[in-house]
Amino acid sequence: MIRRYIASISTSILKRTCAAAAVLAVTLGCSSTKPPNTAAPSGSIESAVLAQSPTSLLARNPNKSKKSVSVSSCPQNDGFTEAVNFATQASNLAQSANSKQEWDKVAALWVQAVAWMQAVPAGSPRRAFAEKKVIEYMRNLVYSQQQATATRSQASTVSFSSDLLNEQLELYLSYVAAVGPPDVLIVGSSRALQGVDPKQLKQSLAQRGRPGLKVFNFSVNGATAQVVDFQLRRLLKPGHLPQMIVWADGVRGFNSGRDDRTFNSIVDSEGSQLLAAGIRPELPSDEPNEIPLCYRFPQPCANNTFRKALASVDRPFRGGQDAHPTLKFLSSGTGILPVADTHPPIKFLSSGTGILPVAENAARYELKPIAANAATQKAQLIPVSRRTTVAMRQLNQLADSIDSNGFMAISGTYNPNTYYRERAYVSGQYDRDYENFNLGGKQATAFNSVVAFTKARKIPLIFVNLPLTNDYLDGTRLWAEQQFRQRMQQLSRQKGFAFRDLSQRWPGRNDYFFDPSHLNRFGAIAVSRLLAADSSIIWPRPKSSRSDG
């Protein structure tokens, strides 16, 4: 099961990265790296690649400077030659890269290699070979992006004792810095994280006369009403709040009788202690002082070949030979793919039937010291990242599987015939999420706090009770769902928020589920389309013209 889960995530990452690279190939204008020399005839380059092993190709000296060449003839500078040169330089730099900036350069070079290799004309005899090279280059691009992300994570300086909350918070703040606060914010537990697709919701709303809305999914696995209350009222600055909130979840997050481990660990975290002193998280406000160097991507010529990019002198690459002692390069044919020699151990923890992989070792973070009188000072900001590095946390595939809008797309399909061969069936009577069932208490207080908070700020709140399978809804859980549905319908009339019950919308559509209580990407698409088609929901108009892509 774990292997299939990781494999589905890896496939999802590759698909999303391919789409991203296609966009980059059209839109990217500048990069912090320089293009390689492209003066060599295409025949000699291709022969060299085919004749040498990947190891010898990677071992070429990356410090050789290349002369500046200006050639405008399309036939002499075809896409294949350009692609191989960019790929060679990316491979050389990968041997010594040991910083985020260097891995960013590697990724930018692979983007160039992909774009030029894709530019090999459809009628060319090289086309079939080029298509395979594009796939190989995309794998290298994915790897270099992952290395850049992992290196960036070393600079994280604030922790809320939840890897996914830390990741989602940093992504959300970066999203706001890039395009502004979203118009619609999705919150909830892992069921919402996997169950509402922001991009599909945006697309469906555009088709129904609401184009240009920005939608972000800020859900966190294990989130309860207390966690959502913490996110909205304490964690986010007022200027980072959306126009509308869609809270997608179910009864498990409202049971005050259960042990709220996620919220308790967040409250006990060092980041929470800083928040209590009035210090909020933030990202660096200043852009780095780096002068970008521009590339030229393939442009059609009259004879259906492609013009040459501007060539210039390459800067020597820096980095010790032992920068990555555990890194090795594996090859398949002529493909060059760096892979880590070892991977951090991943284990699956289960609460009821919820299944999410988590890092086995707890993360360690460095925190900004607080002055003795911090509590009496004006609200300060916790730097989410800075130049100094600290102990690297154990990352896993969860972070890599979340897209730019905070959504985790899971492609696996729930099959009851095989699902319970790999795990024991847990009935609702023995499920800790339903233990000492109580819809009052601390979770009810937190929910009421959120309702009052959104109402005071005139932010419409839509609560969506997400779908469940028949297998999940045994007698105990079905009774709890009925109690929850009645309670939420009553509260929605009293307090003025919208309630949409989808809990039994597709009880037999196992193809929409990843497990008995979590939707997969197909179910998330279906939910998003349902919400967009709900004529009783008055969706906001875009607050700004900036697009999130």
Side-chain angles (χ1 to χ4, degrees):
M1 181 62 189
I2 295 176
R3 290 180 179 176
R4 290 201 300 272
Y5 183 84
I6 295 176
S8 68
I9 289 178
S10 301
T11 302
S12 176
I13 295 171
L14 182 59
K15 288 181 179 178
R16 289 198 301 273
T17 309
C18 287
V23 174
L24 283 170
V26 176
T27 61
L28 183 63
C30 296
S31 171
S32 59
T33 56
K34 289 179 178 286
N37 182 13
T38 57
S42 60
S44 63
I45 292 290
E46 182 180 8
S47 300
V49 173
L50 295 176
Q52 296 187 23
S53 67
T55 303
S56 62
L57 180 62
L58 290 170
R60 289 178 179 173
N61 183 5
N63 296 327
K64 273 190 175 181
S65 61
K66 299 183 175 70
K67 296 181 180 179
S68 191
V69 181
S70 177
V71 182
S72 59
S73 173
C74 291
Q76 294 181 6
N77 297 278
D78 61 285
F80 185 87
T81 302
E82 298 286 352
V84 171
N85 282 326
F86 275 112
T88 301
Q89 189 169 353
S91 299
N92 287 335
L93 179 55
Q95 293 295 291
S96 59
N98 58 7
S99 68
K100 171 176 169 50
Q101 289 74 20
E102 288 176 327
W103 280 113
D104 281 342
K105 292 178 182 180
V106 173
L109 287 167
W110 282 123
V111 168
Q112 290 288 129
V114 169
W116 281 101
M117 192 62 78
Q118 189 66 47
V120 173
S124 170
R126 299 173 175 177
R127 178 68 185 193
F129 181 70
E131 289 174 353
K132 296 295 184 182
K133 296 304 294 183
V134 167
I135 296 173
E136 293 172 8
Y137 291 172
M138 286 301 306
R139 294 194 190 104
N140 299 348
L141 173 58
V142 169
Y143 179 82
S144 57
Q145 289 173 325
Q146 291 172 339
Q147 290 300 305
T149 300
T151 306
R152 169 185 57 79
S153 299
Q154 294 183 42
S156 183
T157 60
V158 59
S159 170
F160 290 93
S161 296
S162 166
D163 280 349
L164 202 54
L165 176 56
N166 296 335
E167 292 287 340
Q168 287 285 72
L169 174 60
E170 186 171 9
L171 177 58
Y172 184 73
L173 295 179
S174 182
Y175 179 95
V176 171
V179 299
D183 299 299
V184 180
L185 182 65
I186 301 160
V187 294
S189 67
S190 57
R191 295 184 63 199
L193 182 68
Q194 299 174 207
V196 186
D197 185 342
K199 293 180 180 178
Q200 181 62 56
L201 181 58
K202 173 183 176 178
Q203 178 183 343
S204 298
L205 288 172
Q207 294 171 350
R208 296 179 175 276
R210 277 287 190 268
L213 286 172
K214 300 193 294 288
V215 187
F216 191 93
N217 193 325
F218 195 16
S219 302
V220 178
N221 57 323
T224 59
Q226 290 189 115
V227 173
V228 173
D229 180 46
F230 174 85
Q231 287 176 278
L232 298 177
R233 291 199 308 112
R234 296 182 57 193
L235 192 57
L236 297 182
K237 296 167 59 178
H240 291 170
L241 293 171
Q243 293 193 72
M244 174 181 281
I245 294 173
V246 175
W247 189 341
D249 215 323
V251 64
R252 296 190 310 209
F254 289 79
N255 178 20
S256 294
R258 59 175 283 195
D259 180 17
D260 196 346
R261 289 169 293 179
T262 302
F263 179 72
N264 292 339
S265 63
I266 290 174
V267 169
D268 292 338
S269 69
E270 294 169 299
S272 182
Q273 294 172 18
L274 294 177
L275 278 178
I279 307 173
R280 291 180 181 270
E282 71 165 355
L283 291 175
S285 57
D286 298 327
E287 293 289 340
N289 295 324
E290 295 183 5
I291 301 176
L293 300 173
C294 294
Y295 287 114
R296 287 186 181 179
F297 281 87
Q299 297 295 327
C301 293
N303 60 354
N304 203 31
T305 56
F306 293 84
R307 294 193 183 276
K308 180 188 178 300
L310 281 179
S312 56
V313 177
D314 290 324
R315 292 177 179 174
F317 298 123
R318 298 176 182 175
Q321 296 178 350
D322 298 327
H324 287 280
T326 61
L327 192 68
K328 64 180 180 181
F329 283 74
L330 302 183
S331 65
S332 174
T334 56
I336 303 161
L337 178 60
V339 296
D341 198 26
T342 58
H343 298 279
I346 300 297
K347 65 178 180 180
F348 282 72
L349 299 184
S350 173
S351 174
T353 56
I355 300 168
L356 282 174
V358 296
E360 186 167 19
N361 297 324
R364 294 186 299 157
Y365 300 83
E366 179 186 11
L367 288 163
K368 180 180 179 181
I370 309 176
N373 62 344
T376 61
Q377 296 175 350
K378 292 183 178 180
Q380 300 178 49
L381 299 173
I382 309 170
V384 172
S385 61
R386 67 183 189 187
R387 294 183 183 276
T388 56
T389 59
V390 295
M392 182 175 178
R393 56 185 156 175
Q394 297 293 326
L395 296 177
N396 52 58
Q397 287 82 1
L398 274 183
D400 292 334
S401 67
I402 294 176
D403 69 14
S404 58
N405 292 71
F407 172 64
M408 181 188 292
I410 304 296
S411 298
T413 301
Y414 168 61
N415 183 349
N417 295 325
T418 59
Y419 184 83
Y420 294 107
R421 293 177 188 172
E422 302 172 2
R423 59 188 56 76
Y425 174 80
V426 179
S427 68
Q429 184 178 359
Y430 300 102
D431 189 340
R432 287 185 297 178
D433 288 337
Y434 293 84
E435 189 176 28
N436 302 319
F437 187 75
N438 175 18
L439 289 178
K442 56 191 178 185
Q443 303 295 350
T445 300
F447 179 71
N448 291 334
S449 177
V450 171
V451 172
F453 176 78
T454 55
K455 190 173 183 179
R457 285 157 180 77
K458 298 181 179 179
I459 301 175
L461 175 64
I462 316 294
F463 189 93
V464 181
N465 195 19
L466 289 170
L468 296 163
T469 62
N470 269 333
D471 293 338
Y472 184 79
L473 291 170
D474 61 7
T476 299
R477 296 188 180 108
L478 187 58
W479 174 83
E481 283 292 331
Q482 293 170 345
Q483 299 298 311
F484 181 64
R485 185 185 309 115
Q486 294 173 6
R487 178 63 174 162
M488 294 299 283
Q489 288 172 343
Q490 178 185 13
L491 288 175
S492 66
R493 291 191 296 267
Q494 293 176 353
K495 297 182 178 296
F497 65 91
F499 175 67
R500 298 293 180 269
D501 181 30
L502 304 180
S503 61
Q504 298 181 56
R505 180 81 183 196
W506 303 300
R509 290 294 305 265
N510 291 337
D511 57 316
Y512 277 179
F513 289 85
F514 171 69
D515 65 29
S517 62
H518 288 83
L519 292 165
N520 59 22
R521 61 188 296 266
F522 309 107
I525 290 173
V527 165
S528 302
R529 288 175 176 171
L530 274 180
L531 293 177
D534 191 334
S535 58
S536 65
I537 299 177
I538 303 176
W539 299 94
R541 296 189 179 277
K543 196 169 185 179
S544 70
S545 58
R546 283 193 289 176
S547 172
D548 60 5

